[in-house]
Each structure stands twice: as structure tokens, then as C-alpha cells.
Amino acid sequence: MSISPCPLCGSNEHTSLITCKDFTATGESFHVKQCSGCHLLFTSPRPSEVESIRYYQTPGYISHAAHAKGIFDLIYLIIRYFAIRSKFKLVSQYATGSNLLDIGCGTGSFLKYSSKRFHAVGVEPSDNARSLCQRERLDVLPNLQSLSSRSFHIITLWHVLEHLHDLPATMTFLKTHLEDNGTIFIAVPNHESLDAQYYHQDWAAFDVPRHLWHFSKMTMTKLAAKHGFQIKAIYPMKLDAYYVSMLSEKYRRGKHTAAGILNAITVGLRSNFSARRNQNYSSLIYVLQK
Ligand SMILES: [Zn+2]
């Protein structure tokens, strides 16, 4: 499948920027294209929703795993724990009520943590991940349609929007199901970060074809405005620069090596340092309100 017209600006014109490999599931190649109208980046060709399933069926898809299998998974889980704590603190600052929805909740780690304070509901299409959530007695539904007319004070999409096939429908859902004084948190990778430019086609956060869209501050701002949202604030996810760089080194070298990890730390430091000027951190959290 290919995307035309652009869901953000309606243009049918686009150019091919780079070709990236699916490093985790199939080894297949996909283009990352750029819309000539609004500069949104998207993966092309893209699997349909049904075809997408097999690209997530890798034993090592860590977002859907509860336990670490090696040192790198352990690093991921430690980073995830600190990331969850800081996400919870951030979300709490903006909360005007107790109803929280976490879209794409994976195995429910943020959902579980936020249940301390919020009445938290998750949505997760993966049967495996959802059953792990249910084992923890978390309230998790398979899709957005199952939520019917419920509305929320907080809606979070932590590295999820880039996976969703129907961007306009998702934004319309957010608009409809957010309380008038509510807040949405959207975390996505930033292809304008220094680590993205350094690793180029090997940048782990392109993650084709699981990532269908690749956002920058400009395209996210256009997307928010098109659907009647204002971006109230943008926050960095500084740990992502190191994590994504380590993964990119692995893809580039074929395995984790000491030299790769050392270089990843250097690139991560440089990325975070240069982002102090232009806010182009490896990943960004956008805070949206109506
Ligand atoms: Zn466009």
C-alpha cells in the first residue's frame, strides 16, 4: 500500500528520502518518503493493518515483553522504569480529573504505575500484551471502538501515534474523547535530532514498517492545529538518545559491541547537548489541549 493523498495536507506529491531496513522482524526494505506539501515523512510501501501483525511477531519485541532476556533488555527495562516515573510526574502536573486513557499501553507498565492516582484504562491490540495486563488486573480493551462514549481528563500515547494506520481518525477520536479541560500527551521520535542525522538509514527510531509516520516539531504542530489542538508545551526524552543510539549501533554493526555502546553514549551526549539550542531531542513529548 502507498499513502496518497497526504493525510495532513492532501498533497499527492512526495519524494523518496531514504531506504531503511526492517532490522528486527523481516530484513525487508522500505522507503521513507517526504510529502512535498507539508514535509510529513511516511513509510512506503506500508503493510495494511492485517499485514502489519507479522511485523510485530518477533520474539524480541521488547515493548511487548515483561521480562529482560539479556543485558540490553535489562538496560531497556531500567530506562523504562525511570521513564515511567517521569511520565507519571509530568501527567500529574496537568491533571484536572482522574480519568486517564493510555492508548497502546503494551504490557501495561505505565498503566499500572498511573493506577496509583488515576482511574486508568488502556487500549492494546496485541493479544499477548493484553493478557499480561489482565494478569495484573488492569482495565485494558482491544481497540478504541470498545471505549464507546467515555471521555478522559488525560490521554497518553507513548511512542504509539507513529504506529497507527489512520492518522485523521485517531486525531478525531482524541478530540471527541478528551474532556474540554483535558490534556493529551504524545511522545514520538524526532527525525530532526542529531542522532537521527548521524545514523541516517540505520536510525533505530525509523523502525520501518512498524513506524508508519515520522514526525518533526513542524509536522506535529501542523497535525495538532489541523485537528483543533494547541501544543501547550514540548518536553524532551533525553534517555531515548542513548537507547536509540545503542540500538542503531547494533543494527549498523550486526551485534552489540563495546565500541558500539561507547560510540552510542557519545552520540547520545552530543544529541542532547545540541538539542539544548533547538529542542531537537531524539524523542519529544507534545502536550496538546483543545
Ligand atoms: Zn502533506
Side-chain angles (χ1 to χ4, degrees), residues 23-24 60-63 65 67-81 199 202 204-205 239-252 254-258 260-265:
F23 288 101
T24 57
Y61 194 63
I62 182 71
S63 305
H67 302 290
K69 291 191 188 75
I71 180 70
F72 194 70
D73 284 2
L74 189 67
I75 294 173
Y76 174 84
L77 292 177
I78 291 168
I79 287 179
R80 191 167 74 173
Y81 173 75
Y199 289 109
D202 298 327
L239 289 175
D240 278 41
Y242 304 103
Y243 177 72
V244 166
S245 295
M246 280 185 207
L247 217 45
S248 307
E249 289 285 344
K250 181 191 172 192
Y251 295 163
R252 189 168 268 190
K255 60 177 180 181
H256 283 304
T257 62
I261 289 175
L262 204 62
N263 197 44
I265 292 169

mmCIF file of all heavy atoms in Angstrom, residues 23-24 60-63 65 67-81 199 202 204-205 239-252 254-258 260-265:
data_model
loop_
_atom_site.group_PDB
_atom_site.id
_atom_site.type_symbol
_atom_site.label_atom_id
_atom_site.label_comp_id
_atom_site.label_asym_id
_atom_site.label_seq_id
_atom_site.Cartn_x
_atom_site.Cartn_y
_atom_site.Cartn_z
ATOM 1 N N PHE A 23 15.029 -4.065 10.674
ATOM 2 C CA PHE A 23 16.124 -4.781 11.323
ATOM 3 C C PHE A 23 15.638 -5.848 12.294
ATOM 4 O O PHE A 23 16.397 -6.726 12.668
ATOM 5 C CB PHE A 23 17.026 -3.798 12.091
ATOM 6 C CG PHE A 23 17.878 -2.939 11.204
ATOM 7 C CD1 PHE A 23 17.525 -1.632 10.928
ATOM 8 C CD2 PHE A 23 19.051 -3.442 10.647
ATOM 9 C CE1 PHE A 23 18.319 -0.828 10.114
ATOM 10 C CE2 PHE A 23 19.851 -2.660 9.835
ATOM 11 C CZ PHE A 23 19.485 -1.346 9.564
ATOM 12 N N THR A 24 14.400 -5.745 12.743
ATOM 13 C CA THR A 24 14.003 -6.646 13.839
ATOM 14 C C THR A 24 13.173 -7.846 13.412
ATOM 15 O O THR A 24 13.242 -8.888 14.046
ATOM 16 C CB THR A 24 13.239 -5.882 14.940
ATOM 17 O OG1 THR A 24 12.113 -5.252 14.332
ATOM 18 C CG2 THR A 24 14.106 -4.855 15.612
ATOM 19 N N GLY A 60 11.736 -10.908 20.059
ATOM 20 C CA GLY A 60 12.424 -9.859 20.811
ATOM 21 C C GLY A 60 11.695 -8.529 20.846
ATOM 22 O O GLY A 60 12.313 -7.522 21.156
ATOM 23 N N TYR A 61 10.393 -8.494 20.482
ATOM 24 C CA TYR A 61 9.724 -7.184 20.514
ATOM 25 C C TYR A 61 9.514 -6.781 21.970
ATOM 26 O O TYR A 61 8.538 -7.112 22.607
ATOM 27 C CB TYR A 61 8.400 -7.202 19.727
ATOM 28 C CG TYR A 61 7.891 -5.795 19.461
ATOM 29 C CD1 TYR A 61 8.628 -4.904 18.669
ATOM 30 C CD2 TYR A 61 6.707 -5.340 20.019
ATOM 31 C CE1 TYR A 61 8.192 -3.615 18.440
ATOM 32 C CE2 TYR A 61 6.265 -4.040 19.791
ATOM 33 C CZ TYR A 61 7.013 -3.202 19.001
ATOM 34 O OH TYR A 61 6.580 -1.905 18.788
ATOM 35 N N ILE A 62 10.513 -6.046 22.472
ATOM 36 C CA ILE A 62 10.647 -5.812 23.916
ATOM 37 C C ILE A 62 9.475 -5.021 24.496
ATOM 38 O O ILE A 62 9.106 -5.225 25.646
ATOM 39 C CB ILE A 62 12.018 -5.158 24.230
ATOM 40 C CG1 ILE A 62 12.224 -4.928 25.734
ATOM 41 C CG2 ILE A 62 12.213 -3.872 23.457
ATOM 42 C CD1 ILE A 62 12.435 -6.176 26.528
ATOM 43 N N SER A 63 8.842 -4.168 23.681
ATOM 44 C CA SER A 63 7.708 -3.398 24.210
ATOM 45 C C SER A 63 6.584 -4.321 24.664
ATOM 46 O O SER A 63 5.750 -3.940 25.460
ATOM 47 C CB SER A 63 7.123 -2.480 23.142
ATOM 48 O OG SER A 63 8.113 -1.664 22.629
ATOM 49 N N ALA A 65 7.222 -7.398 25.897
ATOM 50 C CA ALA A 65 7.786 -8.419 26.783
ATOM 51 C C ALA A 65 7.821 -7.888 28.213
ATOM 52 O O ALA A 65 8.036 -6.710 28.444
ATOM 53 C CB ALA A 65 9.193 -8.781 26.337
ATOM 54 N N HIS A 67 9.740 -9.422 30.716
ATOM 55 C CA HIS A 67 10.996 -9.719 31.397
ATOM 56 C C HIS A 67 12.194 -9.548 30.463
ATOM 57 O O HIS A 67 12.086 -9.781 29.268
ATOM 58 C CB HIS A 67 10.980 -11.144 31.943
ATOM 59 C CG HIS A 67 9.842 -11.372 32.888
ATOM 60 N ND1 HIS A 67 9.803 -10.794 34.132
ATOM 61 C CD2 HIS A 67 8.688 -12.048 32.733
ATOM 62 C CE1 HIS A 67 8.671 -11.136 34.720
ATOM 63 N NE2 HIS A 67 7.960 -11.890 33.900
ATOM 64 N N ALA A 68 13.317 -9.189 31.038
ATOM 65 C CA ALA A 68 14.533 -8.981 30.258
ATOM 66 C C ALA A 68 15.190 -10.318 29.931
ATOM 67 O O ALA A 68 15.203 -11.233 30.741
ATOM 68 C CB ALA A 68 15.494 -8.118 31.065
ATOM 69 N N LYS A 69 15.745 -10.415 28.703
ATOM 70 C CA LYS A 69 16.414 -11.664 28.318
ATOM 71 C C LYS A 69 17.928 -11.501 28.252
ATOM 72 O O LYS A 69 18.653 -12.461 28.194
ATOM 73 C CB LYS A 69 15.883 -12.144 26.963
ATOM 74 C CG LYS A 69 14.448 -12.617 27.031
ATOM 75 C CD LYS A 69 14.044 -13.343 25.750
ATOM 76 C CE LYS A 69 12.570 -13.651 25.721
ATOM 77 N NZ LYS A 69 11.764 -12.451 25.442
ATOM 78 N N GLY A 70 18.429 -10.295 28.255
ATOM 79 C CA GLY A 70 19.878 -10.088 28.179
ATOM 80 C C GLY A 70 20.195 -8.731 28.761
ATOM 81 O O GLY A 70 19.314 -8.025 29.240
ATOM 82 N N ILE A 71 21.473 -8.375 28.696
ATOM 83 C CA ILE A 71 21.923 -7.122 29.301
ATOM 84 C C ILE A 71 21.231 -5.925 28.646
ATOM 85 O O ILE A 71 20.839 -4.969 29.316
ATOM 86 C CB ILE A 71 23.469 -6.991 29.227
ATOM 87 C CG1 ILE A 71 23.964 -5.682 29.864
ATOM 88 C CG2 ILE A 71 24.006 -7.078 27.803
ATOM 89 C CD1 ILE A 71 23.832 -5.646 31.350
ATOM 90 N N PHE A 72 21.037 -6.015 27.307
ATOM 91 C CA PHE A 72 20.448 -4.869 26.615
ATOM 92 C C PHE A 72 18.970 -4.698 26.977
ATOM 93 O O PHE A 72 18.496 -3.591 27.193
ATOM 94 C CB PHE A 72 20.619 -5.012 25.098
ATOM 95 C CG PHE A 72 20.345 -3.728 24.388
ATOM 96 C CD1 PHE A 72 21.217 -2.650 24.513
ATOM 97 C CD2 PHE A 72 19.204 -3.577 23.627
ATOM 98 C CE1 PHE A 72 20.950 -1.450 23.880
ATOM 99 C CE2 PHE A 72 18.932 -2.379 22.985
ATOM 100 C CZ PHE A 72 19.818 -1.310 23.114
ATOM 101 N N ASP A 73 18.260 -5.829 27.077
ATOM 102 C CA ASP A 73 16.861 -5.769 27.519
ATOM 103 C C ASP A 73 16.780 -5.211 28.935
ATOM 104 O O ASP A 73 15.859 -4.481 29.282
ATOM 105 C CB ASP A 73 16.219 -7.167 27.497
ATOM 106 C CG ASP A 73 15.878 -7.609 26.075
ATOM 107 O OD1 ASP A 73 16.173 -6.848 25.135
ATOM 108 O OD2 ASP A 73 15.327 -8.711 25.931
ATOM 109 N N LEU A 74 17.783 -5.578 29.748
ATOM 110 C CA LEU A 74 17.811 -5.084 31.129
ATOM 111 C C LEU A 74 17.978 -3.560 31.136
ATOM 112 O O LEU A 74 17.278 -2.855 31.863
ATOM 113 C CB LEU A 74 18.955 -5.764 31.889
ATOM 114 C CG LEU A 74 18.975 -5.514 33.387
ATOM 115 C CD1 LEU A 74 17.763 -6.162 34.050
ATOM 116 C CD2 LEU A 74 20.245 -6.074 34.017
ATOM 117 N N ILE A 75 18.898 -3.056 30.278
ATOM 118 C CA ILE A 75 19.082 -1.598 30.167
ATOM 119 C C ILE A 75 17.756 -0.957 29.760
ATOM 120 O O ILE A 75 17.318 0.043 30.328
ATOM 121 C CB ILE A 75 20.189 -1.248 29.133
ATOM 122 C CG1 ILE A 75 21.549 -1.729 29.636
ATOM 123 C CG2 ILE A 75 20.238 0.264 28.856
ATOM 124 C CD1 ILE A 75 22.682 -1.586 28.612
ATOM 125 N N TYR A 76 17.085 -1.588 28.774
ATOM 126 C CA TYR A 76 15.793 -1.064 28.305
ATOM 127 C C TYR A 76 14.796 -0.981 29.465
ATOM 128 O O TYR A 76 14.117 0.027 29.638
ATOM 129 C CB TYR A 76 15.227 -1.962 27.192
ATOM 130 C CG TYR A 76 13.833 -1.573 26.756
ATOM 131 C CD1 TYR A 76 13.628 -0.564 25.814
ATOM 132 C CD2 TYR A 76 12.712 -2.187 27.310
ATOM 133 C CE1 TYR A 76 12.350 -0.194 25.428
ATOM 134 C CE2 TYR A 76 11.425 -1.817 26.927
ATOM 135 C CZ TYR A 76 11.251 -0.822 25.989
ATOM 136 O OH TYR A 76 9.986 -0.445 25.613
ATOM 137 N N LEU A 77 14.733 -2.054 30.264
ATOM 138 C CA LEU A 77 13.729 -2.077 31.341
ATOM 139 C C LEU A 77 14.075 -1.065 32.442
ATOM 140 O O LEU A 77 13.178 -0.465 33.036
ATOM 141 C CB LEU A 77 13.591 -3.495 31.917
ATOM 142 C CG LEU A 77 12.966 -4.515 30.939
ATOM 143 C CD1 LEU A 77 12.926 -5.909 31.551
ATOM 144 C CD2 LEU A 77 11.561 -4.099 30.495
ATOM 145 N N ILE A 78 15.374 -0.845 32.690
ATOM 146 C CA ILE A 78 15.772 0.154 33.694
ATOM 147 C C ILE A 78 15.400 1.552 33.183
ATOM 148 O O ILE A 78 14.784 2.349 33.895
ATOM 149 C CB ILE A 78 17.295 0.061 33.995
ATOM 150 C CG1 ILE A 78 17.583 -1.249 34.747
ATOM 151 C CG2 ILE A 78 17.763 1.262 34.817
ATOM 152 C CD1 ILE A 78 19.061 -1.587 34.852
ATOM 153 N N ILE A 79 15.738 1.818 31.903
ATOM 154 C CA ILE A 79 15.380 3.115 31.308
ATOM 155 C C ILE A 79 13.866 3.287 31.362
ATOM 156 O O ILE A 79 13.347 4.347 31.693
ATOM 157 C CB ILE A 79 15.903 3.206 29.846
ATOM 158 C CG1 ILE A 79 17.425 3.378 29.834
ATOM 159 C CG2 ILE A 79 15.238 4.363 29.093
ATOM 160 C CD1 ILE A 79 18.063 3.452 28.451
ATOM 161 N N ARG A 80 13.143 2.187 31.064
ATOM 162 C CA ARG A 80 11.682 2.273 31.038
ATOM 163 C C ARG A 80 11.127 2.632 32.421
ATOM 164 O O ARG A 80 10.203 3.419 32.530
ATOM 165 C CB ARG A 80 11.080 0.949 30.549
ATOM 166 C CG ARG A 80 9.600 1.077 30.264
ATOM 167 C CD ARG A 80 9.060 -0.109 29.494
ATOM 168 N NE ARG A 80 8.929 -1.289 30.339
ATOM 169 C CZ ARG A 80 8.340 -2.416 29.923
ATOM 170 N NH1 ARG A 80 7.881 -2.528 28.707
ATOM 171 N NH2 ARG A 80 8.251 -3.449 30.738
ATOM 172 N N TYR A 81 11.738 2.062 33.469
ATOM 173 C CA TYR A 81 11.249 2.354 34.818
ATOM 174 C C TYR A 81 11.385 3.855 35.130
ATOM 175 O O TYR A 81 10.441 4.497 35.591
ATOM 176 C CB TYR A 81 12.002 1.523 35.868
ATOM 177 C CG TYR A 81 11.615 1.936 37.260
ATOM 178 C CD1 TYR A 81 10.378 1.560 37.782
ATOM 179 C CD2 TYR A 81 12.450 2.746 38.027
ATOM 180 C CE1 TYR A 81 9.983 1.976 39.052
ATOM 181 C CE2 TYR A 81 12.063 3.162 39.291
ATOM 182 C CZ TYR A 81 10.831 2.774 39.795
ATOM 183 O OH TYR A 81 10.446 3.202 41.043
ATOM 184 N N TYR A 199 22.834 8.571 12.386
ATOM 185 C CA TYR A 199 22.648 7.164 11.996
ATOM 186 C C TYR A 199 21.916 7.020 10.663
ATOM 187 O O TYR A 199 21.912 5.943 10.073
ATOM 188 C CB TYR A 199 21.940 6.379 13.108
ATOM 189 C CG TYR A 199 22.827 6.172 14.309
ATOM 190 C CD1 TYR A 199 22.591 6.841 15.506
ATOM 191 C CD2 TYR A 199 23.930 5.331 14.226
ATOM 192 C CE1 TYR A 199 23.427 6.669 16.595
ATOM 193 C CE2 TYR A 199 24.777 5.154 15.309
ATOM 194 C CZ TYR A 199 24.520 5.826 16.497
ATOM 195 O OH TYR A 199 25.361 5.657 17.562
ATOM 196 N N ASP A 202 20.166 3.871 9.327
ATOM 197 C CA ASP A 202 20.253 2.882 10.410
ATOM 198 C C ASP A 202 19.628 3.389 11.714
ATOM 199 O O ASP A 202 19.686 2.690 12.733
ATOM 200 C CB ASP A 202 21.729 2.526 10.688
ATOM 201 C CG ASP A 202 22.403 1.898 9.482
ATOM 202 O OD1 ASP A 202 21.712 1.184 8.723
ATOM 203 O OD2 ASP A 202 23.627 2.129 9.289
ATOM 204 N N ALA A 204 17.509 3.730 14.606
ATOM 205 C CA ALA A 204 16.580 2.699 15.091
ATOM 206 C C ALA A 204 15.147 3.203 15.204
ATOM 207 O O ALA A 204 14.204 2.415 15.145
ATOM 208 C CB ALA A 204 17.064 2.168 16.439
ATOM 209 N N ALA A 205 14.978 4.521 15.381
ATOM 210 C CA ALA A 205 13.616 5.036 15.571
ATOM 211 C C ALA A 205 12.858 5.224 14.253
ATOM 212 O O ALA A 205 11.699 5.604 14.271
ATOM 213 C CB ALA A 205 13.639 6.330 16.377
ATOM 214 N N LEU A 239 16.749 10.245 27.670
ATOM 215 C CA LEU A 239 17.300 8.885 27.700
ATOM 216 C C LEU A 239 17.167 8.189 26.344
ATOM 217 O O LEU A 239 17.948 7.304 26.018
ATOM 218 C CB LEU A 239 16.600 8.050 28.787
ATOM 219 C CG LEU A 239 16.932 8.429 30.226
ATOM 220 C CD1 LEU A 239 16.090 7.604 31.188
ATOM 221 C CD2 LEU A 239 18.413 8.240 30.519
ATOM 222 N N ASP A 240 16.184 8.612 25.566
ATOM 223 C CA ASP A 240 15.979 7.980 24.254
ATOM 224 C C ASP A 240 17.185 8.156 23.344
ATOM 225 O O ASP A 240 17.459 7.302 22.502
ATOM 226 C CB ASP A 240 14.728 8.556 23.562
ATOM 227 C CG ASP A 240 13.462 7.891 24.054
ATOM 228 O OD1 ASP A 240 13.371 7.645 25.280
ATOM 229 O OD2 ASP A 240 12.569 7.604 23.238
ATOM 230 N N ALA A 241 17.902 9.266 23.491
ATOM 231 C CA ALA A 241 19.081 9.499 22.646
ATOM 232 C C ALA A 241 20.096 8.365 22.826
ATOM 233 O O ALA A 241 20.696 7.903 21.854
ATOM 234 C CB ALA A 241 19.718 10.837 22.979
ATOM 235 N N TYR A 242 20.259 7.890 24.072
ATOM 236 C CA TYR A 242 21.223 6.818 24.339
ATOM 237 C C TYR A 242 20.672 5.463 23.902
ATOM 238 O O TYR A 242 21.358 4.675 23.261
ATOM 239 C CB TYR A 242 21.570 6.774 25.839
ATOM 240 C CG TYR A 242 22.084 8.102 26.336
ATOM 241 C CD1 TYR A 242 21.268 8.956 27.072
ATOM 242 C CD2 TYR A 242 23.377 8.517 26.013
ATOM 243 C CE1 TYR A 242 21.718 10.192 27.488
ATOM 244 C CE2 TYR A 242 23.836 9.763 26.430
ATOM 245 C CZ TYR A 242 23.005 10.593 27.170
ATOM 246 O OH TYR A 242 23.454 11.814 27.567
ATOM 247 N N TYR A 243 19.414 5.240 24.253
ATOM 248 C CA TYR A 243 18.811 3.948 23.926
ATOM 249 C C TYR A 243 18.742 3.738 22.407
ATOM 250 O O TYR A 243 19.144 2.692 21.892
ATOM 251 C CB TYR A 243 17.413 3.853 24.552
ATOM 252 C CG TYR A 243 16.729 2.578 24.195
ATOM 253 C CD1 TYR A 243 17.168 1.374 24.760
ATOM 254 C CD2 TYR A 243 15.698 2.539 23.270
ATOM 255 C CE1 TYR A 243 16.578 0.175 24.403
ATOM 256 C CE2 TYR A 243 15.102 1.345 22.911
ATOM 257 C CZ TYR A 243 15.542 0.168 23.483
ATOM 258 O OH TYR A 243 14.963 -1.015 23.129
ATOM 259 N N VAL A 244 18.241 4.750 21.705
ATOM 260 C CA VAL A 244 18.084 4.647 20.250
ATOM 261 C C VAL A 244 19.464 4.538 19.584
ATOM 262 O O VAL A 244 19.645 3.790 18.621
ATOM 263 C CB VAL A 244 17.274 5.857 19.710
ATOM 264 C CG1 VAL A 244 17.374 5.961 18.199
ATOM 265 C CG2 VAL A 244 15.817 5.736 20.126
ATOM 266 N N SER A 245 20.457 5.250 20.116
ATOM 267 C CA SER A 245 21.805 5.178 19.547
ATOM 268 C C SER A 245 22.400 3.780 19.743
ATOM 269 O O SER A 245 23.039 3.235 18.836
ATOM 270 C CB SER A 245 22.715 6.231 20.176
ATOM 271 O OG SER A 245 22.250 7.525 19.839
ATOM 272 N N MET A 246 22.190 3.188 20.904
ATOM 273 C CA MET A 246 22.711 1.830 21.146
ATOM 274 C C MET A 246 22.097 0.829 20.169
ATOM 275 O O MET A 246 22.772 -0.032 19.625
ATOM 276 C CB MET A 246 22.405 1.396 22.576
ATOM 277 C CG MET A 246 23.376 1.973 23.572
ATOM 278 S SD MET A 246 23.057 1.297 25.215
ATOM 279 C CE MET A 246 23.658 2.633 26.209
ATOM 280 N N LEU A 247 20.802 0.973 19.963
ATOM 281 C CA LEU A 247 20.108 0.074 19.035
ATOM 282 C C LEU A 247 20.591 0.309 17.598
ATOM 283 O O LEU A 247 20.800 -0.643 16.839
ATOM 284 C CB LEU A 247 18.603 0.368 19.152
ATOM 285 C CG LEU A 247 17.608 -0.774 19.057
ATOM 286 C CD1 LEU A 247 18.030 -1.974 19.880
ATOM 287 C CD2 LEU A 247 16.233 -0.283 19.528
ATOM 288 N N SER A 248 20.800 1.575 17.257
ATOM 289 C CA SER A 248 21.268 1.903 15.903
ATOM 290 C C SER A 248 22.663 1.331 15.661
ATOM 291 O O SER A 248 22.963 0.832 14.572
ATOM 292 C CB SER A 248 21.300 3.417 15.691
ATOM 293 O OG SER A 248 20.054 3.989 16.019
ATOM 294 N N GLU A 249 23.528 1.407 16.690
ATOM 295 C CA GLU A 249 24.875 0.821 16.575
ATOM 296 C C GLU A 249 24.775 -0.686 16.334
ATOM 297 O O GLU A 249 25.517 -1.259 15.548
ATOM 298 C CB GLU A 249 25.685 1.068 17.857
ATOM 299 C CG GLU A 249 26.103 2.511 18.059
ATOM 300 C CD GLU A 249 27.267 2.942 17.152
ATOM 301 O OE1 GLU A 249 27.966 2.080 16.578
ATOM 302 O OE2 GLU A 249 27.465 4.168 17.019
ATOM 303 N N LYS A 250 23.831 -1.317 17.034
ATOM 304 C CA LYS A 250 23.648 -2.762 16.863
ATOM 305 C C LYS A 250 23.230 -3.079 15.424
ATOM 306 O O LYS A 250 23.738 -4.010 14.804
ATOM 307 C CB LYS A 250 22.582 -3.261 17.850
ATOM 308 C CG LYS A 250 22.339 -4.751 17.754
ATOM 309 C CD LYS A 250 21.104 -5.165 18.543
ATOM 310 C CE LYS A 250 20.765 -6.618 18.262
ATOM 311 N NZ LYS A 250 19.437 -6.974 18.769
ATOM 312 N N TYR A 251 22.312 -2.298 14.893
ATOM 313 C CA TYR A 251 21.850 -2.533 13.524
ATOM 314 C C TYR A 251 22.995 -2.324 12.532
ATOM 315 O O TYR A 251 23.176 -3.079 11.589
ATOM 316 C CB TYR A 251 20.696 -1.584 13.173
ATOM 317 C CG TYR A 251 19.442 -1.799 13.984
ATOM 318 C CD1 TYR A 251 18.446 -0.820 14.031
ATOM 319 C CD2 TYR A 251 19.234 -2.980 14.703
ATOM 320 C CE1 TYR A 251 17.291 -1.015 14.770
ATOM 321 C CE2 TYR A 251 18.078 -3.178 15.441
ATOM 322 C CZ TYR A 251 17.104 -2.186 15.478
ATOM 323 O OH TYR A 251 15.964 -2.373 16.208
ATOM 324 N N ARG A 252 23.771 -1.284 12.767
ATOM 325 C CA ARG A 252 24.866 -0.937 11.857
ATOM 326 C C ARG A 252 25.970 -1.993 11.897
ATOM 327 O O ARG A 252 26.530 -2.351 10.889
ATOM 328 C CB ARG A 252 25.410 0.428 12.273
ATOM 329 C CG ARG A 252 26.388 1.022 11.316
ATOM 330 C CD ARG A 252 26.649 2.475 11.651
ATOM 331 N NE ARG A 252 25.749 3.356 10.921
ATOM 332 C CZ ARG A 252 25.872 4.678 10.868
ATOM 333 N NH1 ARG A 252 26.843 5.269 11.538
ATOM 334 N NH2 ARG A 252 25.032 5.404 10.167
ATOM 335 N N GLY A 254 25.660 -5.143 13.294
ATOM 336 C CA GLY A 254 25.174 -6.528 13.279
ATOM 337 C C GLY A 254 25.057 -7.141 14.653
ATOM 338 O O GLY A 254 24.452 -8.190 14.826
ATOM 339 N N LYS A 255 25.656 -6.528 15.661
ATOM 340 C CA LYS A 255 25.522 -7.013 17.042
ATOM 341 C C LYS A 255 25.965 -5.908 18.010
ATOM 342 O O LYS A 255 26.589 -4.926 17.602
ATOM 343 C CB LYS A 255 26.360 -8.277 17.266
ATOM 344 C CG LYS A 255 27.840 -8.066 17.015
ATOM 345 C CD LYS A 255 28.640 -9.323 17.310
ATOM 346 C CE LYS A 255 30.112 -9.076 17.056
ATOM 347 N NZ LYS A 255 30.972 -10.192 17.287
ATOM 348 N N HIS A 256 25.669 -6.108 19.299
ATOM 349 C CA HIS A 256 26.167 -5.165 20.305
ATOM 350 C C HIS A 256 27.644 -5.400 20.516
ATOM 351 O O HIS A 256 28.080 -6.539 20.686
ATOM 352 C CB HIS A 256 25.444 -5.390 21.643
ATOM 353 C CG HIS A 256 24.064 -4.830 21.662
ATOM 354 N ND1 HIS A 256 23.784 -3.513 21.389
ATOM 355 C CD2 HIS A 256 22.871 -5.411 21.927
ATOM 356 C CE1 HIS A 256 22.490 -3.312 21.483
ATOM 357 N NE2 HIS A 256 21.900 -4.441 21.793
ATOM 358 N N THR A 257 28.425 -4.307 20.479
ATOM 359 C CA THR A 257 29.852 -4.430 20.799
ATOM 360 C C THR A 257 30.185 -3.322 21.794
ATOM 361 O O THR A 257 29.443 -2.329 21.893
ATOM 362 C CB THR A 257 30.734 -4.213 19.542
ATOM 363 O OG1 THR A 257 30.508 -2.864 19.071
ATOM 364 C CG2 THR A 257 30.393 -5.184 18.423
ATOM 365 N N ALA A 258 31.299 -3.492 22.506
ATOM 366 C CA ALA A 258 31.714 -2.472 23.475
ATOM 367 C C ALA A 258 31.952 -1.139 22.760
ATOM 368 O O ALA A 258 31.535 -0.071 23.235
ATOM 369 C CB ALA A 258 32.974 -2.929 24.199
ATOM 370 N N GLY A 260 30.602 -0.130 20.029
ATOM 371 C CA GLY A 260 29.296 0.402 19.611
ATOM 372 C C GLY A 260 28.599 1.110 20.762
ATOM 373 O O GLY A 260 28.053 2.211 20.595
ATOM 374 N N ILE A 261 28.634 0.492 21.938
ATOM 375 C CA ILE A 261 27.968 1.096 23.100
ATOM 376 C C ILE A 261 28.651 2.413 23.479
ATOM 377 O O ILE A 261 27.994 3.414 23.766
ATOM 378 C CB ILE A 261 27.919 0.085 24.276
ATOM 379 C CG1 ILE A 261 26.907 -1.026 23.909
ATOM 380 C CG2 ILE A 261 27.517 0.767 25.590
ATOM 381 C CD1 ILE A 261 26.813 -2.161 24.879
ATOM 382 N N LEU A 262 29.991 2.401 23.401
ATOM 383 C CA LEU A 262 30.747 3.620 23.718
ATOM 384 C C LEU A 262 30.400 4.740 22.729
ATOM 385 O O LEU A 262 30.158 5.886 23.124
ATOM 386 C CB LEU A 262 32.249 3.299 23.631
ATOM 387 C CG LEU A 262 33.162 4.206 24.436
ATOM 388 C CD1 LEU A 262 32.834 4.108 25.917
ATOM 389 C CD2 LEU A 262 34.632 3.802 24.201
ATOM 390 N N ASN A 263 30.345 4.381 21.451
ATOM 391 C CA ASN A 263 30.011 5.391 20.436
ATOM 392 C C ASN A 263 28.575 5.892 20.627
ATOM 393 O O ASN A 263 28.296 7.080 20.456
ATOM 394 C CB ASN A 263 30.223 4.831 19.026
ATOM 395 C CG ASN A 263 30.292 5.949 17.991
ATOM 396 O OD1 ASN A 263 30.958 6.962 18.214
ATOM 397 N ND2 ASN A 263 29.573 5.794 16.894
ATOM 398 N N ALA A 264 27.684 4.964 20.983
ATOM 399 C CA ALA A 264 26.281 5.345 21.201
ATOM 400 C C ALA A 264 26.164 6.362 22.341
ATOM 401 O O ALA A 264 25.402 7.329 22.256
ATOM 402 C CB ALA A 264 25.449 4.107 21.522
ATOM 403 N N ILE A 265 26.951 6.158 23.395
ATOM 404 C CA ILE A 265 26.912 7.096 24.524
ATOM 405 C C ILE A 265 27.399 8.475 24.064
ATOM 406 O O ILE A 265 26.814 9.504 24.403
ATOM 407 C CB ILE A 265 27.737 6.545 25.715
ATOM 408 C CG1 ILE A 265 27.032 5.298 26.277
ATOM 409 C CG2 ILE A 265 27.911 7.604 26.807
ATOM 410 C CD1 ILE A 265 27.848 4.507 27.280
#
